[in-house]
Amino acid sequence: MARYESVLDWVGGTPLVRLTRAAEGLRPRVYVKPEWQNPGGSVKDRAALSMLRRAEADGSLRPGGTVVEVTSGNTGIGFALIAAHLGYRSVIFTSSMIAQEKRSQIAAYGTELRLVDTFVPKYHPDSLRSQAERFVTETPGAWLASQYDNPGNAEAHYTSTGPEIWQDTDGRVTHFVATVGTGGTISGAGRYLKEVSDGRVRVIGADPITSSYVGGDGSQKYIEGAGHFVHPEATVDEWPKALDLEVIDDYVAVDDQRAIDAVRRLARTDGILAGGSSGVAIVAALETATDLTEDDTVVVLLPDSGRTYLSTYFNDRWLVSTGFTGSATDFDAPTVGERAAAARLVERDEPLAAAVRRLAAEDVGDDVVVLVVHRREHRVLAPHPSDVVGWTTPARLRVAATVAGSVQPAGPRLGTGIGLADPAVTGWDPADGEVALVLDGGRVVATLTWAAVNLEPAAAGAAEVAR
Ligand SMILES: Cc1ncc(COP(=O)(O)O)c(C=O)c1O
């Protein structure tokens, strides 16, 4: 075993672990690189340390200074522990949508957490990014790391992750699979592996299906860290400077359900408890491995552990409430689907007359619930709940000035598997709203009215939830 003289020396040097049962029947050797072996529990400790050391070297961070970052969690944890060790103040801007475990861990190191939940595009004055920038301007000695554009991010992986993989496979790695968030991991490690192998190593980007990196619509997904989200009101889809597109040979797009299935299975087949973005990478790696030979060696990087997601991907109640399958309680009891109606959509900024005409042409009755959603170019899946502005009806639309002007807020989100018989499970009180959003695989596929809940099943009919 290694001995470290400080927590900083513990960053990096993660092992490779061969997949046995999960890779059964596949010809190549498949190794995972569990990055939760880093002191903060994720791959981002490497990037945080590298960016901070660069800032110290170029004078943008000085003794007594404040480390500031905008993050979906893991980078914040990395900065929090390094700042604690080196005696810097640290302030992390993040959203309450990230796993509670990550927020609690950041706070445990004595870091100040600023939770910003305003759902606005990056350049809006209230966005996470704008608030962090304002804080830095107003705070003497503050340094904003900007992982998306900071060259120290990919450099961390060029100088550590890539060389470790090369060394630990004795130069036999042929395929490197990683998810793409900021792009730091895949760009740095991928470039190193390509250079050292004279271009032989193929680099595969694993990405959520909605991510704009793989041509998705940029809508939200349930997998934290991987992929690229585009705010519905953003005027440009800006990609990180940390992402080096030249390095990536192929992409594999993976939906949330498959990623969740993959990590749940991996825990049971190989005893490896990995996080959601690891699921995206595992699916891509196993799919890639199907076409390879005994001479190939696939290395797949697992960014963080499943311990951070025990209350979500590994939690039956969460799975049921978001309409994902895989829970032990997928049951035959009455489901919300029996009384729900397939979702009908209008876009918030759609011209009113066009929306009214379209609904009339589709023969949508006056009182039928119509969801008002943000516009998404080439929508690939049903809307994510964050894309739903509220609901309306054709009758309301006819007397409104705009589509947006007729919106009523929607009530709770119910997974398709929730038994209506148990109000303790649905938790739906009519005061929450007359209309609930019904989720299947985390996406809004149907609506349910409070009136329909109170109908006898026979009277409600058996409106099928669109799948
Ligand atoms: C859980 C998780 N997976 C994947 C990634 C993507 O890594 P990168 O930003 O290096 O592309 C991150 C980044 O924050 C992450 O936190």
Side-chain angles (χ1 to χ4, degrees):
M1 284 299 281
R3 188 178 72 211
Y4 303 122
E5 299 304 322
S6 101
V7 72
L8 303 187
D9 298 338
W10 171 8
V11 175
T14 57
L16 290 181
V17 182
R18 185 153 178 191
L19 290 188
T20 53
R21 289 180 61 204
E24 220 163 63
L26 293 169
R27 287 178 293 268
R29 288 170 297 276
V30 181
Y31 289 92
V32 296
K33 190 163 173 66
E35 286 294 307
W36 55 85
Q37 295 280 59
N38 282 294
S42 92
V43 68
K44 302 303 289 202
D45 291 354
R46 298 178 189 258
L49 181 58
S50 157
M51 291 187 280
L52 190 141
R53 287 301 195 204
R54 271 177 82 112
E56 286 178 328
D58 70 19
S60 32
L61 178 64
R62 294 176 187 280
T66 302
V67 177
V68 184
E69 184 55 318
V70 177
T71 159
S72 67
N74 283 332
T75 309
I77 294 169
F79 278 126
L81 81 91
I82 296 163
H85 179 75
L86 294 174
Y88 292 110
R89 176 187 176 202
S90 54
V91 180
I92 296 300
F93 288 77
T94 193
S95 132
S96 59
M97 274 175 67
I98 68 159
Q100 174 64 50
E101 291 89 337
K102 289 185 196 164
R103 283 188 274 147
S104 303
Q105 190 176 346
I106 292 170
Y109 296 110
T111 293
E112 294 161 51
L113 259 182
R114 304 282 167 105
L115 285 182
V116 180
D117 276 332
T118 332
F119 189 57
V120 289
K122 183 173 162 186
Y123 291 110
H124 188 285
D126 295 334
S127 74
L128 269 172
R129 171 90 202 171
S130 302
Q131 293 201 34
E133 279 172 352
R134 228 168 16 247
F135 175 81
V136 169
T137 314
E138 291 164 2
T139 310
W143 165 70
L144 181 61
S146 301
Q147 56 172 329
Y148 284 86
D149 299 324
N150 189 323
N153 178 356
E155 189 180 78
H157 301 286
Y158 184 85
T159 55
S160 70
T161 319
E164 287 170 25
I165 292 171
W166 186 252
Q167 217 166 27
D168 293 343
T169 57
D170 300 318
R172 275 187 279 184
V173 56
T174 55
H175 294 75
F176 173 58
V177 184
T179 51
V180 194
T182 64
T185 307
I186 200 159
S187 305
R191 178 159 295 283
Y192 176 86
L193 291 170
K194 278 206 174 292
E195 283 176 10
V196 74
S197 67
D198 288 329
R200 181 173 51 80
V201 172
R202 290 192 66 79
V203 176
I204 291 110
D207 217 19
I209 201 164
T210 53
S211 168
S212 71
Y213 295 146
V214 282
D217 58 16
S219 64
Q220 270 296 12
K221 23 81 198 173
Y222 289 77
I223 300 299
E224 286 177 28
H228 190 63
F229 165 73
V230 185
H231 191 280
E233 286 157 16
T235 46
V236 280
D237 176 11
E238 209 175 346
W239 288 12
K241 293 196 185 80
L243 171 61
D244 181 355
L245 293 169
E246 268 183 21
V247 165
I248 306 175
D249 297 298
D250 289 310
Y251 291 90
V252 179
V254 180
D255 69 39
D256 289 331
Q257 181 72 64
R258 287 178 76 204
I260 291 169
D261 287 347
V263 281
R264 290 172 63 83
R265 207 177 312 115
L266 188 67
R268 289 157 199 236
T269 56
D270 286 53
I272 295 173
L273 188 65
S277 66
S278 300
V280 176
I282 292 279
V283 170
L286 296 181
E287 211 167 284
T288 303
T290 314
D291 298 328
L292 304 181
T293 70
E294 284 81 1
D295 297 330
D296 291 306
T297 298
V298 179
V299 172
V300 47
L301 185 133
L302 307 186
D304 67 1
S305 160
R307 288 185 75 162
T308 306
Y309 308 98
L310 291 176
S311 59
T312 52
Y313 318 131
F314 297 94
N315 179 291
D316 284 353
R317 184 172 283 256
W318 183 87
L319 290 172
V320 169
S321 69
T322 42
F324 286 108
T325 58
S327 78
T329 51
D330 282 338
F331 42 79
D332 298 330
T335 65
V336 291
E338 288 175 3
R339 297 179 196 189
R344 314 235 186 203
L345 309 181
V346 291
E347 288 175 355
R348 193 189 66 161
D349 298 323
E350 192 172 346
L352 183 69
V356 170
R357 255 199 321 274
R358 191 165 50 74
L359 293 170
E362 288 171 20
D363 226 4
V364 176
D366 270 6
D367 297 325
V368 169
V369 168
V370 177
L371 291 179
V372 180
V373 295
H374 284 292
R375 199 169 97 81
R376 284 274 168 208
E377 208 104 33
H378 54 270
R379 192 181 284 286
V380 292
L381 299 172
H384 183 276
S386 66
D387 271 341
V388 176
V389 183
W391 64 277
T392 186
T393 62
R396 297 178 67 89
L397 281 172
R398 271 199 303 277
V399 296
T402 59
V403 172
S406 77
V407 173
Q408 292 289 299
R413 302 160 186 191
L414 308 174
T416 51
I418 292 178
L420 280 176
D422 185 356
V425 177
T426 63
W428 185 11
D429 182 310
D432 295 341
E434 255 181 89
V435 172
L437 305 178
V438 180
L439 306 187
D440 188 10
R443 317 299 292 196
V444 182
V445 295
T447 55
L448 185 67
T449 60
W450 185 250
V453 171
N454 291 311
L455 286 180
E456 287 305 312
E464 269 298 296
V465 173
R467 277 174 191 270

